[in-house]
Amino acid sequence: MDVEVSVNNKPPIQPKNNEDKVQSPWVEALQSFMKNKIALVGTGIVVFFILLAIFAPFIAPQGINEQNMANRLQAPSAEHWFGTDDFGRDIFSRVIFGARISLWVGFLAVMGSAVVGSLLGIIAGYYGRWIDTIISRIFDIMLAFPSILLAIAIVAVLGPSLQNALIAIAVINIPNFGRLIRSKVLSVKQEEYIVAAKAVGMKNNRILFRHVLPNSMAPIIVQGTLAIGTAIIEAAALGFLGLGAEAPNPEWGKMLSDARVLLIQAPWTMIFPGIAIMLTVLGFNLMGDGLRDALDPRMKN
């Protein structure tokens, strides 16, 4: 007669809560980001300036080009929170509308450099050989020049304007994205799923856009966020040198340039545009650092 021996009569252990379930890496990164208080402060600053730019026509108390010579160089007061400039224009209104220009330049320039740089970096890292050599040498040549000097040279050739400043800022940031994505692709293409895709005869274009690019998005997002702050500074620098936005556009760098002769007589004409630049760049840097900590596995405990 067969005898059945029960080794363990306990029922199988069930997960007690959702913590035992596997989460998406993006969900896990979002949760990690939400726990970073400094990153949330930076995000709050960025959102504040974005909302300020969107609702500028409803927030600004006066027109950006509304001149009143009787009120020129008025100190900050209840009527003019940030004072007035040498044409009697309300600085608070001009700073608010200046957020539109600076954010517009920052987002579009970084978007353009991210797209072009990422494509070049993916091609160089995936195909290698002479293609990688040519693209990498182009990046090295561009990085050999100080970024602001290269931007000045590009604007000098194209002509001073806000659009040409945007193009220049996009061009000088291409190598940063290209080299970053190239290094990521060099490691991703050695993964087993990429080798398996090649083994079953999947075309290179499909491998690049369905496997390589999605798995390289994390560094692009982090670099893009940090690059927006840098692009805003570069746009302000070009505007300060008279190579960016032209009068009477209320671009922050141009406002600083116009007010530099009034630093002693009316310091508020430079202080408030400078604070706007500082806070916006600080917000993007804090948010970018938080995204890096959340998306980089090496930064996790």
Side-chain angles (χ1 to χ4, degrees), residues 77 80 134 160 205 210 260 274 277:
S77 62
H80 302 284
I134 293 176
N205 292 339
R210 293 198 58 181
R260 68 184 185 276
I277 295 173

Side-chain angles (χ1 to χ4, degrees), residues 87-166:
F87 290 100
R89 297 173 298 191
D90 184 67
I91 296 178
F92 178 66
S93 301
R94 292 179 62 79
V95 168
I96 291 176
F97 275 91
R100 282 188 163 187
I101 298 177
S102 295
L103 292 176
W104 177 72
V105 171
F107 278 110
L108 289 185
V110 170
M111 187 180 300
S113 59
V115 171
V116 177
S118 298
L119 289 176
L120 292 176
I122 288 175
I123 293 172
Y126 185 78
Y127 290 103
R129 298 184 179 180
W130 63 270
I131 297 178
D132 183 20
T133 302
I134 293 176
I135 295 177
S136 297
R137 295 297 80 77
I138 293 175
F139 289 162
D140 292 339
I141 293 172
M142 295 179 66
L143 291 173
F145 296 92
S147 59
I148 188 63
L149 293 181
L150 183 58
I152 291 174
I154 295 173
V155 175
V157 172
L158 299 178
S161 70
L162 186 61
Q163 289 76 15
N164 292 338
L166 190 155

Side-chain angles (χ1 to χ4, degrees), residues 16 58 69 118 135 137 164 171 197 201 207 222 233 279 292:
K16 296 180 180 180
F58 306 99
M69 298 304 292
S118 298
I135 295 177
R137 295 297 80 77
N164 292 338
V171 170
I207 294 175
V222 175
I233 294 179
L279 289 178
R292 181 197 59 197

Side-chain angles (χ1 to χ4, degrees), residues 142-220:
M142 295 179 66
L143 291 173
F145 296 92
S147 59
I148 188 63
L149 293 181
L150 183 58
I152 291 174
I154 295 173
V155 175
V157 172
L158 299 178
S161 70
L162 186 61
Q163 289 76 15
N164 292 338
L166 190 155
I167 295 173
I169 295 171
V171 170
I172 64 176
N173 282 289
I174 287 176
N176 297 327
F177 285 94
R179 296 186 69 178
L180 177 66
I181 301 307
R182 175 185 174 273
S183 63
K184 181 67 176 178
V185 171
L186 288 175
S187 61
V188 169
K189 75 175 185 178
Q190 304 297 330
E191 297 291 338
E192 294 180 357
Y193 60 90
I194 300 295
V195 177
K198 292 180 179 179
V200 297
M202 186 177 293
K203 295 182 178 180
N204 288 330
N205 292 339
R206 191 175 181 184
I207 294 175
L208 286 175
F209 290 102
R210 293 198 58 181
H211 298 290
V212 177
L213 182 59
N215 287 283
S216 304
M217 286 301 297
I220 296 177

Side-chain angles (χ1 to χ4, degrees), residues 23-36 39-40 43 290-291 293-295 300:
Q23 290 183 335
S24 168
W26 292 104
V27 174
E28 185 179 353
L30 178 60
Q31 293 176 348
S32 176
F33 181 82
M34 296 301 293
K35 294 178 182 178
N36 191 330
L40 292 179
T43 304
L291 288 173
D293 295 342
L295 294 173
K300 298 178 182 179

